[in-house]
């Protein structure tokens, strides 16, 4: 019913025309609005009026501009950071322990026999000890060698470098003797396409050349051995972890989760939080942390694979994969290493505030470490990305990274070109950059800041009994089976301040925006939202007047056109103007009813309108709304 | 009356435009209070009762005070900063790495220069501490002491002080006791007081005329001997030309046995020489001019810098350095490596792995903080060939002061233009001067600390250093011969594992943290906060402020001025013509109400606004025709057609 009523009202309005003019509307608005400027425009003298008009427009412009600035700031999604620092009970970090040597040499010897013999022969050729020892009586298995041989590039004549196969039949028994490191470079020859396309990987030092060559060949060998055999060849948990104490509670190697790392062999993770709840630590200081005694068994290291002796250690978050090769630290043998931990956490907001990913689901790289049931990390993404490219380019996976479904690791037999292909990829900066751009960092970034200090352990006075007890416990033998060069003591504990959390929060929220918008509007013009609504109302009225006027104008146009043939003389321009200005020239009952003085003679149509310019300025006030109400 | 007039009248009634025309200040205030947009004022006028009015006055004034206070607070806290921390995972520029051997010059090369000094030092050790050299090192046999006039001990004698006999010291050469006049400065005694040692060793530095002496004592003979040795050593070395010093020190090929960066071999050519006065030849990786900076696109030790250093302990100077190893400093390419101040020490027979995290900090300069962008506005001349830093500024400042006061430059810092290094021959009392100046510098009396300002942006590499045994027992056998072969060109000696040190420097991950300061307030924020305050307490705005200025300053002054003018005029008129008393009352009326014309009509809009009267209104009394009404009724369609009909004929 109401709708119908309103529609009817609208129709009437359309028929009747607007109740007032634009100017009247404006004046009415100005005198009644709550914003501060407009009122002054109409109630001041002409000079001041102009000034106030200018001021008001200026302020309105300023307000609009500042609003624009604020809205743009808001849409910039800026963040503010809150830093908190202190001590609280926190989950003790997961501790991953590895040995620097992946395997026990005694157990892996049979696999590496051929390779080691080759290596020794190469070293003999390079270093060239006294001629008596360098007897080439051993028969070498040259299948590995022929695939990727080491060569000596003799650059004594820089225009004609001579390439010598180190173990080749034509080489002299000790080329290293005649040619020093400055002139002869050791390089690795990598061939692909059945040995037709060859490239040399040059080294400035023989040490690096033989090490890299050995690692490459060992990778080839180990990639063909099934995983469980590799695990058996590494250091077992009881062999490695001799003593464990967490706070006051004893723990043992059974509290560690074993994981096989391709580079470091068997690694053991304490407090990974995969199956049971993570252990908290409620006190700072080494008395309440993790104390470990490890035996790395240095005498059983693979000699050519690990030239550095020590335990490898990484503190990381629960349920994350330990990227120990990239982020781990060493612990030295024969020393006690104390590590004070500060958890440095950065929590970010995610899109659209900062470009990061919450769980890695929106990253275009398949996470190969998801088999371990670990959370996303950028390292996992980078490694997966590399393995992806490896499989795509070389059609086999690298031994150091997990395999996707249905692929196999590279080896010399099945993929003769793999080494060439792999080294190309490894050196490729473009590949790394694509991976960096594809992978997103995760929103929660936790770093463990460590304060590392070291002392000799065991001390000279206590060495005897400690070694005795340790050997007795592990091997139940009265002989001393552990040595100073193999044992490592570790203390890992929370520092007095154990966390530093940097948390992002939105710098500008909607409340901020509104209060600033309000502040600006209020500052310049004393306005509020209600003023905006008033203004909107006026705009609607304006449109309404325009519509009504247009309707009236069209109607008059149509009527005139219909009447046009009857007009004998076409109206002059003056007449038209007059007709336009003195449109409804009729004494109207409404005005008379309102008590205008009677007896005033109606102005004769055609006379020029009086020059009551001032009247033009006059606003229509409430009278109008009265009559409007009457009219409808 | 036409509706337009009516509206005008209504407006007039509601808004009497009488502010400036008000006869008295009180009226003006009343008008202002009634008509202003700010809240509170109106209540003062419309309230009934004096108490209530007073309360409202109080409240309004309080609100004004609050606004002023709060706005003042806002202005005061305008120059504050907010800090944001951003993390980027990206390709990172590898920093420059400067590696030095702890021993500056090969002892075999520098021995001739230092022979006398060493001899005297040994003799001093013998007589002071009873140390006689067992022939552990064959090459340094002690020569007989007699008959040689000590050169160095004469200039700066080593003295033994006895706690019981104050002011007396024993000169150990002659064994004579001698009086020590002047002040005795205990080295580091203002930090720790040493009581238990009875005998103290020190040396005396005197100015030219030996009347003014300062004596430095040390709690331990080790420090005394080393300081004393260093003084003479610097004096000797200051006279040696730079090329000779470079030749006496280690070459890059000698120091670096192997080098590996980002999976590629590198060699001595990737390092640039940097001669440090106290550390001899140092080598900087990734600092080569006209070559692009190397960057890392993978984290982890194998993609960083791996070097094996050859540190020949046999060539160490026994008195100058007492520890063995190398020093490493990670710094920006354009930064000067202050290796003596902030280096990391590397042990031999160890693999030292240094994992880095990069943190960049940016501060806002003036007016937010006192930092400087490039040091251009710091009044200290940078004598280093490197970008500005606080350390550079302090040392430059000190060196400049040194040249000013002592007339020569200190050996361990670069030379300012037109200055030379200090030595005995030319500047006999430079040591005294230097020690005095150094004392003043440490106690911030030179003004360097207040002049120098920190830089606004800096890169910091947080290092995690861990050690491991290297080479391992089983790999030692093959590794050392191969390394020996690599280095066979330079060194003809079989390597021992304590001659070598392995160093790995790498990015742990490629996360770069940037700590950035940004202005907490902008001018928009300040204004909107002002607006908030004004609106909260009084619903005021800039318009109100303009109103206040208009009313309280312009209008009230004009009223006062008008009053005074009138009075003056009146007084003048009375003085001139005391006979015409009729004129003033008429004037009075016009002055009281200048807006009101003499006609008794209601003020029209034009008259109110004091517009020039329209020509049609010239005849007073005739009401204006009501054309206005036509205007607002012409749109009625039924009338439209009606009105047009009579027009046509």
């Amino acid at each position: 019913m109401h709708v119908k009523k309103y529609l009817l009202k609208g129709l009437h309005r359309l028929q009747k025309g607007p109740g007032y003019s634009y100017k009247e509307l404006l004046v009415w608005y100005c005198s009644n609005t709550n914003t501060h400027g407009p009122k002054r425009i109409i109630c001041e003298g002409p000079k001041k009026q102009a000034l106030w008009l200018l001021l008001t427009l200026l302020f309105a412009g300023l307000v609009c501009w500042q609003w624009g600035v604020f809205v743009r700031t808001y849409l910039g999604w800026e963040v503010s950071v809150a830093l908190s620092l202190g001590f609280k009970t926190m989950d003790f970090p997961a501790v991953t322990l590895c040995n620097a040597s992946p395997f026990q040499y005694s157990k892996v010897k049979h696999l590496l026999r051929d390779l080691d013999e080759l290596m020794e022969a190469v070293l003999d050729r390079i270093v060239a000890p006294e001629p008596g020892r360098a007897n080439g009586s051993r028969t070498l298995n040259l299948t590995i060698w022929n695939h990727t041989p080491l060569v000596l590039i003799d650059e004594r004549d820089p225009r004609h470098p001579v390439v010598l196969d180190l173990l080749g039949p034509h080489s002299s028994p000790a080329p290293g003797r005649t040619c020093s490191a400055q002139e002869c470079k050791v390089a690795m020859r990598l061939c692909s396409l059945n040995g037709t396309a060859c490239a040399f990987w040059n080294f400035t030092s023989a040490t690096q050349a033989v090490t890299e060559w050995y690692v490459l060949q060992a990778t080839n060998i180990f990639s063909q051995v099934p995983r469980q055999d590799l695990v058996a060849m590494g250091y077992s948990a009881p062999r490695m972890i001799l003593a464990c104490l967490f706070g006051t509670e004893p723990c043992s190697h059974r509290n560690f989760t074993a994981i096989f790392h391709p580079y470091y062999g068997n690694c053991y993770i304490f407090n990974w939080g995969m199956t049971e709840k993570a252990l908290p630590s409620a006190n700072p200081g080494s008395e309440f942390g993790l104390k470990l005694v490890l035996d790395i068994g240095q005498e059983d290291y693979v000699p050519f694979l690990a030239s550095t002796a020590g335990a490898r250690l990484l503190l990381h978050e629960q349920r994350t994969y330990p990227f120990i090769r990239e982020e781990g630290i060493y612990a030295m043998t024969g020393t006690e290493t104390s590590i004070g931990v500060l958890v440095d956490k950065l929590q970010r907001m995610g899109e659209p505030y900062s470009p990061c990913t919450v769980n890695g689901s929106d990253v275009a790289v398949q996470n190969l470490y998801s088999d371990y049931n670990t959370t996303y990390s950028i390292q996992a993404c980078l490694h997966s990305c590399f393995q992806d490219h490896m499989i795509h380019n070389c059609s086999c996976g690298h031994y150091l990274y997990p395999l996707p479904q249905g692929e196999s690791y590279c080896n010399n037999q099945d993929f003769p070109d793999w080494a060439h292909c792999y080294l190309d990829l490894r050196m490729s900066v473009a590949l790394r950059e694509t991976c960096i751009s594809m992978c997103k960092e995760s929103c929660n970034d936790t770093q463990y800041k460590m304060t590392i200090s070291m002392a000799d352990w065991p001390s000279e006075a206590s060495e005897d009994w400690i070694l005795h007890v340790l050997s007795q416990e592990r091997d139940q033998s009265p002989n001393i089976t552990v040595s100073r060069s193999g044992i490592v003591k570790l203390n890992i504990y929370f520092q007095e301040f154990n966390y530093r959390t940097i948390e992002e929060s939105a710098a500008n929220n909607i409340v901020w925006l509104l209060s600033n918008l309000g502040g600006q509007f209020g500052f310049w013009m004393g306005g509020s939202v209600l003023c905006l609504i008033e203004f909107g109302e006026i705009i609607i009225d304006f449109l309404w007047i325009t519509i009504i006027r247009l309707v009236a104008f069209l109607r008059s146009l149509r009527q005139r056109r219909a009447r046009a043939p009857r007009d004998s003389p076409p109206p002059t321009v003056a007449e038209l103007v007059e007709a336009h200005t003195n449109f409804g020239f009729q004494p109207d009952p409404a005005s008379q009813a309102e008590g205008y003085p009677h007896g005033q003679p109606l102005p004769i149509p055609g006379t020029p309108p009086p020059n009551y310019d001032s009247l033009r300025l006059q606003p229509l006030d409430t009278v109008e709304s009265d009559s409007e109400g009457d009219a409808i | 009356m036409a509706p337009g007039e009516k509206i005008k009248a209504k407006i007039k009634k509601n808004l009497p435009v009488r502010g400036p025309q008000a006869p008295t200040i009180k009226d003006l205030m009343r008008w202002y209070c009634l008509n202003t947009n700010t809240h509170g004022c109106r209540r003062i006028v419309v309230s009934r009762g004096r108490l209530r009015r007073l309360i409202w006055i109080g409240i309004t004034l309080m609100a004004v005070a609050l606004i002023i206070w709060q706005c003042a607070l806002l202005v005061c806290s305008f120059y504050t900063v907010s800090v944001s921390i951003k993390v980027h995972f990206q390709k990172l520029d590898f920093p420059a790495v400067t590696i030095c051997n702890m021993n500056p010059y090969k002892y075999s090369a520098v021995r001739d220069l230092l022979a006398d000094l060493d001899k005297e030092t040994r003799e001093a050790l013998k007589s002071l501490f009873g140390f006689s050299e067992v022939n552990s090192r064959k090459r340094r046999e002690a020569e007989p002491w007699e008959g040689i006039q000590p050169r160095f001990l004469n200039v700066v004698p080593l003295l033994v002080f006895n706690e019981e006999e104050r002011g007396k010291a024993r000169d150990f050469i002659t064994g004579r006791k001698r009086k020590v006049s002047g002040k005795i400065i205990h080295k580091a005694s203002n930090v720790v007081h040493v009581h238990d040692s009875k005998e103290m060793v020190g040396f005396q530095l005197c100015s030219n005329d030996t009347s003014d002496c300062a004596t430095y004592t040390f709690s331990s003979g080790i420090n005394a001997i080393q300081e004393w040795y260093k003084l003479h050593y610097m004096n000797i070395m200051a006279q040696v030309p730079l090329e000779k010093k470079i030749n006496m020190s280690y070459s890059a090929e000698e120091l670096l046995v192997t080098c590996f960066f980002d999976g590629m071999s590198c060699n001595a050519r990737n390092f640039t020489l940097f001669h440090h006065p106290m550390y001899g030849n140092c080598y900087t990786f990734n600092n080569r001019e006209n070559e692009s900076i190397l960057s890392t696109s993978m984290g982890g030790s194998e993609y960083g810098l791996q070097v094996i250093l050859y540190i020949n302990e046999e060539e160490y100077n026994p008195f100058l350095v007492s520890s063995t190893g190398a020093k490493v400093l990670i710094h920006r390419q354009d930064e000067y490596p202050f290796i003596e101040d902030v280096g990391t020490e590397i042990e031999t027979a160890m693999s030292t792995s240094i994992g880095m995290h990069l943190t960049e900090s940016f501060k806002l300069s003036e007016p937010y903080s006192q930092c400087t962008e490039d040091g251009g506005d710091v009044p200290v001349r940078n004598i280093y060939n490197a970008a500005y830093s606080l350390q550079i500024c302090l040392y430059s400042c000190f060196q400049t002061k040194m040249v000013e006061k002592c007339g020569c430059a200190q050996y361990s810092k670069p030379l300012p233009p037109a200055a030379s290094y200090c030595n005995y021959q030319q500047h006999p009392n430079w040591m005294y001067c230097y020690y005095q100046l150094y004392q003043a510098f440490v106690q911030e009396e030179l003004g360097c600390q207040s002049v120098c300002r920190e830089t606004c942006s800096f890169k910091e590499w947080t290092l995690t250093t861990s050690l491991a045994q290297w080479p391992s027992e089983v790999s030692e056998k093959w590794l050392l011969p191969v390394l020996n072969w690599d280095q066979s060109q330079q060194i003809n000696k079989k390597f021992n594992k304590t001659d070598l040190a392995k160093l790995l420097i790498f990015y742990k991950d490629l996360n770069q943290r940037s700590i950035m300061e940004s202005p907490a307030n902008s001018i928009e924020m300040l204004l909107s906060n002002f607006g908030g305050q004004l609106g909260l307490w009084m619903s005021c705005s800039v318009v109100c402020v303009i109103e206040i200025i208009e009313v309280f300053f312009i209008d009230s002054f004009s009223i006062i001025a008008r009053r005074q003018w009138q009075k003056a005029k009146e007084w003048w008129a009375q003085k001139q013509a005391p006979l015409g008393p009729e004129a003033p009352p008429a004037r009075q009326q016009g002055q009281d109400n200048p807006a009101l014309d003499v006609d008794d009509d209601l003020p029209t809009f034009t008259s109110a606004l004091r517009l020039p009267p329209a020509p049609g209104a010239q005849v007073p009394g005739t009401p204006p025709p009501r054309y206005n009404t036509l205007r607002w009724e012409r749109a009625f369609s039924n009338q439209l057609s009606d009105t047009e009909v009579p027009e046509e004929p």
Side-chain angles (χ1 to χ4, degrees), chain A residues 16 516 588 596 610 620-621, chain B residues 1 7 528 550 625 627 633 636:
Chain A
K16 263 171 95 179
N516 276 314
D588 58 281
Y596 285 96
L620 279 187
D621 207 349
Chain B
M1 206 180 170
I7 294 153
S528 85
E550 188 191 4
Y627 283 124
E633 290 193 317
F636 289 96

Side-chain angles (χ1 to χ4, degrees), chain B residues 38-94:
Chain B
T38 50
H39 299 174
C41 273
R42 198 182 162 79
R43 305 296 310 173
I44 300 174
V45 183
V46 297
S47 292
R48 306 239 164 141
R50 198 175 286 166
L51 178 68
R52 203 172 274 201
R53 202 169 281 190
L54 273 177
I55 288 173
W56 272 110
I57 289 175
I59 289 173
T60 313
L61 287 179
M62 203 175 73
V64 171
L66 274 173
I67 288 173
I68 291 170
W69 176 51
Q70 297 279 329
C71 289
L73 285 186
L74 285 174
V75 171
C76 287
S77 65
F78 183 70
Y79 287 121
T80 51
V81 290
S82 65
V83 176
S84 63
I85 297 176
K86 290 205 166 65
V87 178
H88 294 285
F89 195 92
Q90 61 185 33
K91 200 168 100 171
L92 294 178
D93 283 348
F94 202 76

Side-chain angles (χ1 to χ4, degrees), chain A residues 241-428:
Chain A
I241 300 161
L242 302 184
C244 172
L245 192 68
F246 182 71
T248 49
E249 296 186 25
C251 48
S252 74
H253 58 85
R254 276 180 286 276
N255 296 77
F256 287 77
T257 316
I259 186 172
F260 184 78
H261 189 281
Y263 193 81
Y264 288 114
N266 288 339
C267 291
Y268 301 97
I269 308 178
F270 178 76
N271 196 22
W272 204 11
M274 277 300 184
T275 47
E276 66 266 14
K277 256 191 87 195
L279 296 168
S281 178
N283 289 295
S286 60
E287 285 306 304
F288 304 96
L290 180 68
K291 291 179 175 179
L292 289 170
V293 177
L294 308 177
D295 178 21
I296 60 162
Q298 205 185 135
E299 63 287 341
D300 213 6
Y301 266 35
V302 182
F304 300 112
L305 211 51
S307 62
T308 309
R312 203 88 163 116
L313 170 80
L314 176 67
L315 307 184
H316 56 107
E317 254 186 305
Q318 271 77 30
R319 309 174 68 81
T320 56
Y321 186 82
F323 291 96
I324 193 154
R325 202 169 166 220
E326 286 75 25
E327 292 166 359
I329 59 164
Y330 279 109
M332 212 168 73
T333 56
T335 54
E336 171 171 355
T337 307
S338 294
I339 301 172
V341 180
L342 167 80
V343 185
D344 190 7
K345 210 177 253 185
L346 182 68
Q347 285 179 333
R348 287 192 284 165
M349 293 273 288
E351 301 282 355
Y353 292 97
S354 20
C356 61
T357 174
V358 178
N359 54 10
S361 55
D362 50 344
V363 175
V365 180
Q366 189 209 343
N367 187 1
L368 298 178
Y369 290 87
S370 51
D371 292 349
Y372 293 98
N373 203 12
T374 52
T375 52
Y376 173 86
S377 71
I378 188 150
Q379 290 285 357
C381 178
L382 288 177
H383 288 187
S384 305
C385 178
F386 182 85
Q387 186 75 309
D388 261 7
H389 280 87
M390 182 87 192
I391 286 166
H392 186 253
N393 290 355
C394 314
S395 63
C396 60
H398 192 264
Y399 169 69
L400 283 182
Y401 310 110
L403 271 185
Q405 213 71 44
E407 302 290 341
S408 59
Y409 282 130
C410 295
N411 60 60
N412 288 352
Q413 277 77 50
D414 305 333
F415 308 96
D417 297 348
W418 80 272
H420 187 255
C421 175
Y422 162 67
L423 288 171
D424 267 0
L425 275 186
R426 193 181 125 172
M427 299 301 169
S428 155

Side-chain angles (χ1 to χ4, degrees), chain B residues 248-286:
Chain B
M248 287 193 301
S249 191
Y250 302 87
S251 69
E253 285 83 7
E254 228 172 321
L255 184 68
L256 304 155
V257 182
T258 69
C259 167
F260 210 56
F261 179 74
D262 202 7
M264 301 284 265
S265 272
C266 49
N267 57 23
R269 280 192 293 274
N270 295 71
F271 289 79
T272 43
L273 171 71
F274 154 72
H275 188 84
H276 189 277
M278 296 312 289
Y279 281 89
N281 284 357
C282 294
Y283 294 94
T284 308
F285 178 73
N286 193 22

Side-chain angles (χ1 to χ4, degrees), chain A residues 199-213:
Chain A
F200 292 102
W201 186 13
N202 290 325
F203 294 91
T204 53
S205 106
T207 322
Q208 282 158 11
V210 293
T211 315
E212 289 289 330
W213 178 80

Side-chain angles (χ1 to χ4, degrees), chain A residues 16 36 48 66 206-207 298 307 309 325 346 433 516 520 523 586 588 596 610 612 618-622, chain B residues 1 3 7-8 10 87 91 302 469 472-473 486 524 528 541-542 550 609 625 627-628 633 635-636 643:
Chain A
K16 263 171 95 179
H36 290 178
K48 276 196 177 174
Q66 304 275 324
T207 322
Q298 205 185 135
S307 62
R325 202 169 166 220
L346 182 68
E433 277 171 10
N516 276 314
Q520 281 293 338
F523 180 68
Q586 275 282 315
D588 58 281
Y596 285 96
Y612 283 122
Q618 285 164 8
L620 279 187
D621 207 349
T622 42
Chain B
M1 206 180 170
I7 294 153
K8 265 193 289 177
K10 228 170 194 172
V87 178
K91 200 168 100 171
E302 58 177 325
Q469 190 188 337
S472 65
E473 282 172 2
D486 277 336
E524 295 97 53
S528 85
S541 69
V542 168
E550 188 191 4
L609 296 176
Y627 283 124
N628 260 338
E633 290 193 317
F636 289 96
T643 44

Side-chain angles (χ1 to χ4, degrees), chain B residues 206-382:
Chain B
C206 292
S207 68
N208 225 1
D209 48 358
T210 53
S211 62
D212 191 14
C213 283
T215 309
Y216 295 90
T217 59
F218 299 86
S219 60
S220 160
I222 296 173
N223 297 335
I225 296 284
Q226 275 197 330
E227 283 287 311
W228 181 83
Y229 188 89
K230 220 183 205 168
L231 270 180
H232 291 293
Y233 170 82
M234 289 198 296
N235 184 50
I236 292 165
M237 278 304 165
Q239 300 167 51
V240 180
L242 182 67
E243 297 87 71
K244 198 180 168 194
K245 282 193 279 190
I246 290 175
N247 285 334
M248 287 193 301
S249 191
Y250 302 87
S251 69
E253 285 83 7
E254 228 172 321
L255 184 68
L256 304 155
V257 182
T258 69
C259 167
F260 210 56
F261 179 74
D262 202 7
M264 301 284 265
S265 272
C266 49
N267 57 23
R269 280 192 293 274
N270 295 71
F271 289 79
T272 43
L273 171 71
F274 154 72
H275 188 84
H276 189 277
M278 296 312 289
Y279 281 89
N281 284 357
C282 294
Y283 294 94
T284 308
F285 178 73
N286 193 22
N287 193 24
R288 303 199 59 190
E289 276 159 36
N290 57 48
E291 243 180 60
S292 59
I293 295 169
L294 297 169
S295 59
T296 307
S297 44
M298 279 289 257
S301 58
E302 58 177 325
Y303 296 100
L305 177 70
Q306 298 182 24
V307 285
I308 294 173
L309 304 173
Y310 175 59
I311 288 153
N312 194 354
E313 215 183 332
E314 278 180 19
E315 295 280 10
Y316 266 53
N317 186 326
F319 303 113
L320 192 65
V321 280
S322 47
S323 46
T324 313
K327 259 195 157 178
V328 170
L329 183 63
I330 290 159
H331 58 102
R332 240 172 37 209
Q333 269 77 15
D334 58 349
E335 219 173 14
Y336 183 85
F338 283 101
I339 196 108
E340 72 271 36
D341 297 332
V342 279
T344 309
E345 286 169 7
I346 305 294
E347 213 178 326
T348 54
M350 295 277 176
S351 155
T352 308
S353 50
I354 300 179
M356 301 186 289
H357 267 296
L358 176 59
T359 310
E360 263 186 310
S361 310
F362 299 96
K363 282 182 81 170
L364 288 176
S365 60
E366 302 271 1
Y368 291 94
S369 70
Q370 287 292 309
C371 69
T372 170
E373 294 284 354
D374 57 352
D377 48 346
V378 174
V380 174
R381 191 197 156 92
N382 185 352

